[in-house]
Structures are given as C-alpha cells and as structure tokens.
Amino acid sequence: MRTAVLWVPDWPVVAALAVAGLDAHVPAAVLGARSRGGSTAGHSVVAVSAVARAQGVRRGMRRRQAQERCPELALLDVDDARDAREFEPVAAAAETVVAGLEVARPGLLLLPADGAARYHGSERALARELAGAVAEHTGYECQVGVADGLLTAVLAARQDAVVPAGEARAFLAGRPVGDLVHAVTDPSGITAVREAASLWWRLGLQTLGDLAALPAAQVRSRFGDLGLWAHRLASGQDVRPPARRRVEPELVVAEELDPPALRVDVATFAARRLAERLHGLLAARGLACGRLRITARTEDEELERVWRTDAAAGGMSAARITDRVRWQLEGWLTASAAGRGRPGGPGAGSAVPVVAPIAHLALAAEEVAPAGALQPRLWGPDAGEDDRARRALGRVQGLLGGDSVLTVALQGGRAAHERVHLVPFGEDAAPARDPALPWPGALPSPAPADLLPDPAPARVLDDAGRDVLVDVRLAMSGEPDVVTWLPGLPGQPGQPGATEAVARRVVGWAGPWPLAERWWSAGDGKRRVYLQVVLDDGRGLLVAQSGGDWHVEAVYD
C-alpha cells in the first residue's frame, strides 16, 4: 500500500518557539531528561532548530556544551502535551487535501496515497498540495515523502522524495540499521529500538539490507516481536496488513457526558475511565490495536482524529491512551479558539474552558490483531505479574503508609552501597547525587548483585595463614588465599544461630582499589581499600579493609 508521510522537521522546537512567541530565526533547542537504568541522568538536547544546528548544536549534547557552541541559544523545556496540541492545526490543514490521515506522533502524519494521488494527478502533485496546504493554513514548512511501507515513506519524507513502487527494499538496503528509530511513533519505544540496533550493528548487521536478508522466522525466534517489526520495515513492508479492518462494535467504548464537560480536565477524567475500559477489553481478549480513534461530539459538530499505536513500544497502556486523548482535546481546543478568535490559543492549558461543551466522548480500537503469537510465560510481565505486583504494592502502601514500600534507583557514588537510591514506590524523587558525573575512584564494573545491610566481619589470609594487610602505598603483605566470615551471606546455606566461621579458598582476586573521601576533613574523612575475590564455590565477594580490619560488603553472582 502506498503511504504518504508528512513531516515537519524539528517539530518540538517549532512548537516550543510558537508557544513562547519567539521568531523562527532564533537559535533554539529543546531540553529533556535522559534516562539511564531507570533514573534521570541529566538534561540533554532532544531537538534542535536549523539555525542552532548551523552553529554546531546537536542532539544529545548537554546543556553547557550546547551553550558553549551557541551562547545566544534559547533553551526550551520538553512538553509532549504542547507538541500534540500545537500539531492539530497541521493535521487539520492536511485533512483538507487527504481524508483518513493518522497522527503517528506530533510532527509526523501518515496518509493513504493511492486514491489521493489519482485525484491530484500524481504522487508528486499530492506532495505539493499537502505542503502548500500546511504552509497556507499554518505558516509551517513541511516535507512529504511517498513510498511503499512505513519506514520507506518516513525516510523519503526526510529527503522530500517519492520512491517508485517496488523499489522500497533497494532504497533501504544501504541505510544504517539505526534508521529504524525514525519509524518509532511512541517515545517509550525509542530506547528499545536503539539498543536493538546497537546489538545488530555489533553482530555485523550494519545496514537495513543486512537485516532484511535474514529469514524472518529466525529473526523472530532470536529477537522476538521487536525483531519481526524491524525485519518487516527493513524489507520495505508495512507493519500491518494493507487491508483496513472494520471497527468491531465490542471494541468501542463511549460515554455520554451529563452534564456536558465545560473544561478539558473534566473531559479528560471521563476519558481515563474509557481508556481503562478499552484497555481491559483488549487485554481480556488478548488483542492489540493498530490505531486508536478518538471521537468527541459537541452540540455543533463531531470531532474525530486517529492516532497510530506503536508495536515497538508494546502497544498502548491505559495511561498512554489517556495521554493521547488529553493531548487531542487540548489540540481541538487550541485550533477552535484560534479559528474563532477566542482566548486559548497556543499554550492553552487543561483548565481553559472548551469552546463548546463536550457531550459525547468515544474511543475505538481499530485494526485489532492477536497481541503477539508467542505463548505467554508462566510468570513475569507476559503473565500479568507486573500489574498484580503494582496493585499489591499499592495496597501495602495504603495500609502502612507511602514510605513503607521502597524501590531502588541508581545515584552517584563511589562505593557500591552509596549508589543505591531508595525511593517510595510510585514517586519520582531526584537522586541526591548525579550518576552522570565521573565519580573518579569508583569501583569498576560489574556491580555486585547483593549488598549487605551491615558489612560482615571477615579475615583475608595468605597461604601461610597470616592476615593480609594493605599499607598506605597499597603494598599487600601477601596474596589472598582464604577468606573467612560468619555464616549468613546471600546464597550461603547456614543453620540459624550458627556462630562458626565459614572459610573458602580464593581462586582469583583483583585489586586493591583505594578510596579516600573527604581526606581533608578530620571528622568526615573515610579511607578504605577494596578487593574483589572469587571463591572456590563460584561466588565473588567485595571485601573492604578499613583501620586494619576486613569486612564483606557485597556478594557477586
């Protein structure tokens, strides 16, 4: 199926500049939080304007580095709701040329090209009409690409090109495998696609042609649904069958709002209930949907928009559905307010009254299909344990208090126990120490699997049975041969109340690593030396010497 893609370059920056009232010629960048291992690692540039890019600013740069390249750079915060809200006029302008469009993500539209191209005379004429309509109605510049398959059309739009029918695979063959990220429509799936592309690159699959040359069955068996998604796109195919399926009645949820919602936040509250109902219907039937249709009816008109879901991100959860409904309601509000001269305009928030009360709201799951052909596991996320665990933890918090259930996040530090940041479940608390900083002197990877709440006293002996000591010059009195400690370490069987020390022979060791913190302070200074030892039973220990005494601080798998 021929697909047209309309792409507004650098849309997050374009939308942020419009809301801030800044001129398009101002060098600007959008800053967002980078995530490493589930924690915020700092703020980096996620989108750059063309003017700033000409002065050397690039995505992924830290704030300070970007300002060094361009001192007059305007820094704007990331805001998904703003990007979606401001994109609604662009979608409405494109809809004057082609009906049945889909919002892949703010800044990117998917449109069926076959019938529209015949109506306008050719695919290039269709592209000109779309670009002209967007420029006339919104003043934004856009690029249009037409090709077979989603990824081919997206990459063609980035070149403002039309790929002839049947040439999608050849067009993609020489492109790097990392270009798959441009086809991701949900930000939560970007990290997974980048990690998979990095793995394929290291395995020798450096281009999309290399990936497409592999048998699809073997790619799926090795890399799962994400691998199959990538293989289909790399082969120039679409991620779903070209035939559009009829919306099944049981997968449509609707609610009459009585009284009609006069504010966007009130309508969003109703949308949350609908999102949970729709997600429950899909989950109960083991289905996933390719598109989400949002319909709102006022006394004067019926508003409708379609959002594409993302297989790379695992489909849409109830929270994701709610977010998209909220963004779309705010987008309709902004477009209607601007068209009627009413207050609201760019940046209108959810507390602004709607132009007309919303009396009916409906969500429909379209193009439903089985949610993966893999058999669910007996435990783990596929079996629903994640959701059950979250509900159970929420009940415990309700009984014992919010601080009674803690989750672990990564923070900065040199010792293993200093890098653990305990956060109440469900809260997003910033770590006390930034893990993105260098932290010279930190223990080398890998990190230990188990940290002891209280270090266990131990002895490190050489082959003559003497205690191994490390002096101030890091000279060791002998090589570690035996480690003894009291029972109770993780993974160690022992009888309750046992007091006899356990001794294990050392088959390998590394170190020592000195750690001197706040050495200039007499009261707060800490000095210790670390050793990593591998025991004859296969376990590894992290032992530390401080003041001439050894302690076991952590255990490696």
Side-chain angles (χ1 to χ4, degrees):
M1 183 175 66
R2 300 289 285 173
T3 300
V5 167
L6 187 150
W7 174 58
V8 182
D10 310 318
W11 176 253
V13 183
V14 173
L17 286 172
V19 171
L22 298 176
D23 189 85
H25 298 292
V26 174
V30 172
L31 290 178
R34 296 187 302 173
S35 179
R36 289 183 181 176
S39 65
T40 300
H43 286 80
S44 65
V45 175
V46 298
V48 187
S49 69
V51 180
R53 194 158 43 244
Q55 299 188 37
V57 182
R58 296 291 184 270
R59 284 189 302 173
M61 285 184 173
R62 300 297 297 272
R63 176 201 297 262
R64 184 173 300 175
Q65 185 181 7
Q67 289 177 320
E68 289 175 353
R69 297 287 182 89
C70 180
E72 64 274 17
L73 184 68
L75 297 175
L76 305 162
D77 292 331
V78 67
D79 188 344
D80 294 336
R82 174 199 62 208
D83 297 344
R85 181 178 63 242
E86 297 301 314
F87 192 59
E88 174 58 24
V90 178
E95 209 164 27
T96 63
V97 180
V98 179
L101 58 83
E102 302 176 31
V103 181
R105 62 175 181 266
L108 191 70
L109 287 175
L110 309 182
L111 311 100
D114 293 322
R118 289 193 298 269
Y119 178 81
H120 291 284
S122 69
E123 291 174 341
R124 295 190 182 276
L126 169 63
R128 288 194 297 269
E129 289 291 334
L130 285 169
V134 171
E136 178 184 356
H137 289 85
T138 67
Y140 297 134
E141 295 182 358
C142 69
Q143 296 178 194
V144 179
V146 184
D148 297 333
L150 171 64
L151 178 61
T152 316
V154 170
L155 296 180
R158 299 178 73 87
Q159 298 183 0
D160 211 4
V162 174
V163 179
E167 297 186 12
R169 188 158 185 164
F171 177 80
L172 297 174
R175 294 181 173 273
V177 71
D179 279 356
L180 283 164
V181 74
H182 297 305
V184 179
T185 62
D186 193 309
S188 61
I190 292 178
T191 300
V193 174
R194 283 179 175 164
E195 291 177 351
S198 175
L199 173 61
W200 294 328
W201 181 277
R202 297 195 301 272
L203 292 176
L205 305 174
Q206 298 183 354
T207 66
L208 294 173
D210 296 336
L211 181 60
L214 298 177
Q218 294 184 14
V219 173
R220 179 164 192 171
S221 64
R222 175 63 180 83
F223 302 107
D225 289 340
L226 178 58
L228 182 62
W229 171 86
H231 186 271
R232 288 185 62 87
L233 292 180
S235 302
Q237 304 176 41
D238 209 341
V239 292
R240 62 190 183 201
R244 301 197 171 188
R245 307 170 102 179
R246 177 179 59 87
V247 180
E248 300 186 24
E250 66 269 26
L251 295 182
V252 177
V253 293
E255 184 170 336
E256 298 291 336
L257 305 184
D258 187 17
L262 298 174
R263 296 162 62 101
V264 171
D265 51 357
V266 175
T268 303
F269 183 77
R272 182 182 306 169
R273 296 194 299 268
L274 293 178
E276 292 173 351
R277 285 169 50 193
L278 181 62
H279 186 265
L281 288 174
L282 291 169
R285 290 164 172 77
L287 299 174
C289 65
R291 306 194 309 169
L292 173 70
R293 184 177 298 275
I294 304 169
T295 305
R297 188 170 64 239
T298 69
E299 296 178 354
D300 303 325
E301 57 184 334
E302 182 170 284
L303 306 170
E304 189 173 83
R305 181 68 70 225
V306 176
W307 283 76
R308 171 176 285 242
T309 64
D310 201 334
M316 279 194 179
S317 64
R320 289 177 185 163
I321 294 174
T322 305
D323 284 342
R324 278 149 182 78
V325 177
R326 176 172 55 85
W327 298 344
Q328 191 58 60
L329 291 173
E330 293 182 359
W332 282 326
L333 164 66
T334 302
S336 299
R340 302 185 187 192
R342 296 285 297 276
S350 60
V352 178
V354 297
V355 174
I358 296 177
H360 176 86
L361 192 61
L363 305 178
E366 298 188 353
E367 297 180 355
V368 295
L374 297 177
Q375 181 178 356
R377 294 180 290 182
L378 295 178
W379 51 80
D382 287 350
E385 285 192 358
D386 280 0
D387 291 337
R388 290 197 292 271
R390 291 189 184 95
R391 290 195 295 268
L393 294 176
R395 288 195 295 268
V396 173
Q397 282 184 311
L399 293 173
L400 303 180
D403 294 336
S404 61
V405 180
L406 303 177
T407 56
V408 179
L410 184 67
Q411 68 177 358
R414 295 179 175 85
H417 64 276
E418 293 175 349
R419 304 184 66 193
V420 176
H421 178 46
L422 296 178
V423 183
F425 176 73
E427 292 188 12
D428 185 16
R433 298 180 293 274
D434 188 352
L437 296 178
W439 296 105
L443 287 173
S445 297
D450 295 295
L451 296 179
L452 275 64
D454 298 308
R459 295 181 66 191
V460 180
L461 309 175
D462 59 16
D463 55 1
R466 297 186 298 266
D467 288 299
V468 175
L469 299 177
V470 182
D471 62 21
V472 293
R473 297 181 179 272
L474 299 183
M476 300 179 63
S477 62
E479 293 191 0
D481 184 67
V482 173
V483 177
T484 65
W485 67 90
L486 292 177
L489 293 186
Q492 170 193 315
Q495 297 297 327
T499 58
E500 185 177 352
V502 177
R504 286 289 183 182
R505 188 164 297 278
V506 176
V507 297
W509 59 278
W513 291 285
L515 184 56
E517 295 181 299
R518 303 184 66 85
W519 49 267
W520 60 88
S521 175
D524 299 333
K526 297 179 181 179
R527 293 178 180 269
R528 52 193 181 277
V529 177
Y530 284 98
L531 281 179
Q532 292 173 329
V533 296
V534 179
L535 307 179
D536 55 3
D537 61 358
R539 284 181 301 161
L541 301 181
L542 178 66
V543 294
Q545 182 192 56
S546 179
D549 297 325
W550 290 98
H551 291 82
V552 179
E553 290 196 357
V555 181
Y556 295 89
D557 284 342

mmCIF file of all heavy atoms in Angstrom, residues 407-411 417-423 429-432:
data_model
loop_
_atom_site.group_PDB
_atom_site.id
_atom_site.type_symbol
_atom_site.label_atom_id
_atom_site.label_comp_id
_atom_site.label_asym_id
_atom_site.label_seq_id
_atom_site.Cartn_x
_atom_site.Cartn_y
_atom_site.Cartn_z
ATOM 1 N N THR A 407 11.432 1.483 46.259
ATOM 2 C CA THR A 407 12.041 0.941 45.053
ATOM 3 C C THR A 407 13.462 1.485 44.952
ATOM 4 O O THR A 407 13.812 2.470 45.589
ATOM 5 C CB THR A 407 11.243 1.336 43.800
ATOM 6 O OG1 THR A 407 11.140 2.771 43.747
ATOM 7 C CG2 THR A 407 9.854 0.745 43.839
ATOM 8 N N VAL A 408 14.255 0.827 44.142
ATOM 9 C CA VAL A 408 15.678 1.148 44.054
ATOM 10 C C VAL A 408 15.950 1.865 42.740
ATOM 11 O O VAL A 408 15.505 1.435 41.675
ATOM 12 C CB VAL A 408 16.538 -0.123 44.157
ATOM 13 C CG1 VAL A 408 18.017 0.220 44.045
ATOM 14 C CG2 VAL A 408 16.267 -0.835 45.471
ATOM 15 N N ALA A 409 16.681 2.969 42.822
ATOM 16 C CA ALA A 409 17.143 3.691 41.642
ATOM 17 C C ALA A 409 18.644 3.922 41.782
ATOM 18 O O ALA A 409 19.214 3.794 42.863
ATOM 19 C CB ALA A 409 16.398 5.021 41.494
ATOM 20 N N LEU A 410 19.266 4.274 40.682
ATOM 21 C CA LEU A 410 20.708 4.484 40.658
ATOM 22 C C LEU A 410 21.028 5.943 40.957
ATOM 23 O O LEU A 410 20.361 6.849 40.454
ATOM 24 C CB LEU A 410 21.264 4.100 39.283
ATOM 25 C CG LEU A 410 22.788 4.180 39.107
ATOM 26 C CD1 LEU A 410 23.466 3.125 39.966
ATOM 27 C CD2 LEU A 410 23.159 3.993 37.641
ATOM 28 N N GLN A 411 22.033 6.172 41.782
ATOM 29 C CA GLN A 411 22.518 7.519 42.029
ATOM 30 C C GLN A 411 24.044 7.502 41.993
ATOM 31 O O GLN A 411 24.676 6.455 41.888
ATOM 32 C CB GLN A 411 22.009 8.065 43.358
ATOM 33 C CG GLN A 411 22.573 7.380 44.581
ATOM 34 C CD GLN A 411 22.081 8.012 45.874
ATOM 35 O OE1 GLN A 411 21.345 8.988 45.857
ATOM 36 N NE2 GLN A 411 22.472 7.456 47.005
ATOM 37 N N HIS A 417 27.356 0.614 48.029
ATOM 38 C CA HIS A 417 26.156 0.964 48.788
ATOM 39 C C HIS A 417 25.790 2.431 48.623
ATOM 40 O O HIS A 417 24.638 2.821 48.849
ATOM 41 C CB HIS A 417 26.360 0.638 50.269
ATOM 42 C CG HIS A 417 27.434 1.440 50.932
ATOM 43 N ND1 HIS A 417 28.772 1.095 50.865
ATOM 44 C CD2 HIS A 417 27.390 2.586 51.662
ATOM 45 C CE1 HIS A 417 29.490 1.982 51.524
ATOM 46 N NE2 HIS A 417 28.678 2.899 52.019
ATOM 47 N N GLU A 418 26.752 3.284 48.228
ATOM 48 C CA GLU A 418 26.445 4.700 48.036
ATOM 49 C C GLU A 418 25.656 4.945 46.762
ATOM 50 O O GLU A 418 25.042 6.003 46.604
ATOM 51 C CB GLU A 418 27.743 5.510 48.002
ATOM 52 C CG GLU A 418 28.496 5.540 49.320
ATOM 53 C CD GLU A 418 29.824 6.247 49.182
ATOM 54 O OE1 GLU A 418 30.228 6.512 48.025
ATOM 55 O OE2 GLU A 418 30.458 6.531 50.217
ATOM 56 N N ARG A 419 25.658 4.007 45.825
ATOM 57 C CA ARG A 419 24.990 4.194 44.536
ATOM 58 C C ARG A 419 23.519 3.782 44.581
ATOM 59 O O ARG A 419 22.816 3.904 43.591
ATOM 60 C CB ARG A 419 25.712 3.412 43.445
ATOM 61 C CG ARG A 419 27.187 3.773 43.327
ATOM 62 C CD ARG A 419 27.846 3.057 42.188
ATOM 63 N NE ARG A 419 27.306 3.512 40.913
ATOM 64 C CZ ARG A 419 27.509 2.897 39.760
ATOM 65 N NH1 ARG A 419 28.212 1.773 39.731
ATOM 66 N NH2 ARG A 419 26.998 3.374 38.646
ATOM 67 N N VAL A 420 23.058 3.298 45.716
ATOM 68 C CA VAL A 420 21.671 2.852 45.851
ATOM 69 C C VAL A 420 20.824 4.024 46.345
ATOM 70 O O VAL A 420 21.124 4.620 47.385
ATOM 71 C CB VAL A 420 21.564 1.661 46.807
ATOM 72 C CG1 VAL A 420 20.108 1.271 47.008
ATOM 73 C CG2 VAL A 420 22.373 0.485 46.280
ATOM 74 N N HIS A 421 19.779 4.339 45.611
ATOM 75 C CA HIS A 421 18.856 5.423 45.975
ATOM 76 C C HIS A 421 17.479 4.817 46.194
ATOM 77 O O HIS A 421 16.852 4.310 45.258
ATOM 78 C CB HIS A 421 18.809 6.458 44.841
ATOM 79 C CG HIS A 421 17.860 7.595 45.102
ATOM 80 N ND1 HIS A 421 17.806 8.260 46.307
ATOM 81 C CD2 HIS A 421 16.927 8.185 44.302
ATOM 82 C CE1 HIS A 421 16.895 9.207 46.246
ATOM 83 N NE2 HIS A 421 16.347 9.185 45.040
ATOM 84 N N LEU A 422 17.015 4.811 47.442
ATOM 85 C CA LEU A 422 15.724 4.230 47.793
ATOM 86 C C LEU A 422 14.641 5.300 47.671
ATOM 87 O O LEU A 422 14.745 6.382 48.258
ATOM 88 C CB LEU A 422 15.753 3.666 49.210
ATOM 89 C CG LEU A 422 16.732 2.501 49.427
ATOM 90 C CD1 LEU A 422 16.715 2.061 50.885
ATOM 91 C CD2 LEU A 422 16.396 1.331 48.513
ATOM 92 N N VAL A 423 13.603 4.974 46.893
ATOM 93 C CA VAL A 423 12.525 5.922 46.599
ATOM 94 C C VAL A 423 11.199 5.263 46.950
ATOM 95 O O VAL A 423 10.980 4.089 46.634
ATOM 96 C CB VAL A 423 12.527 6.310 45.106
ATOM 97 C CG1 VAL A 423 11.458 7.347 44.816
ATOM 98 C CG2 VAL A 423 13.895 6.823 44.690
ATOM 99 N N ALA A 429 11.473 10.759 42.719
ATOM 100 C CA ALA A 429 12.339 11.629 43.512
ATOM 101 C C ALA A 429 13.724 11.684 42.886
ATOM 102 O O ALA A 429 14.303 10.655 42.534
ATOM 103 C CB ALA A 429 12.434 11.103 44.949
ATOM 104 N N ALA A 430 14.248 12.884 42.738
ATOM 105 C CA ALA A 430 15.571 13.063 42.151
ATOM 106 C C ALA A 430 16.634 12.503 43.089
ATOM 107 O O ALA A 430 16.539 12.648 44.308
ATOM 108 C CB ALA A 430 15.824 14.534 41.866
ATOM 109 N N PRO A 431 17.657 11.846 42.566
ATOM 110 C CA PRO A 431 18.713 11.304 43.424
ATOM 111 C C PRO A 431 19.528 12.424 44.054
ATOM 112 O O PRO A 431 19.649 13.529 43.512
ATOM 113 C CB PRO A 431 19.564 10.467 42.458
ATOM 114 C CG PRO A 431 19.313 11.063 41.113
ATOM 115 C CD PRO A 431 17.887 11.551 41.151
ATOM 116 N N ALA A 432 20.095 12.146 45.213
ATOM 117 C CA ALA A 432 20.902 13.152 45.909
ATOM 118 C C ALA A 432 22.196 13.432 45.177
ATOM 119 O O ALA A 432 22.738 14.535 45.240
ATOM 120 C CB ALA A 432 21.191 12.682 47.340
#
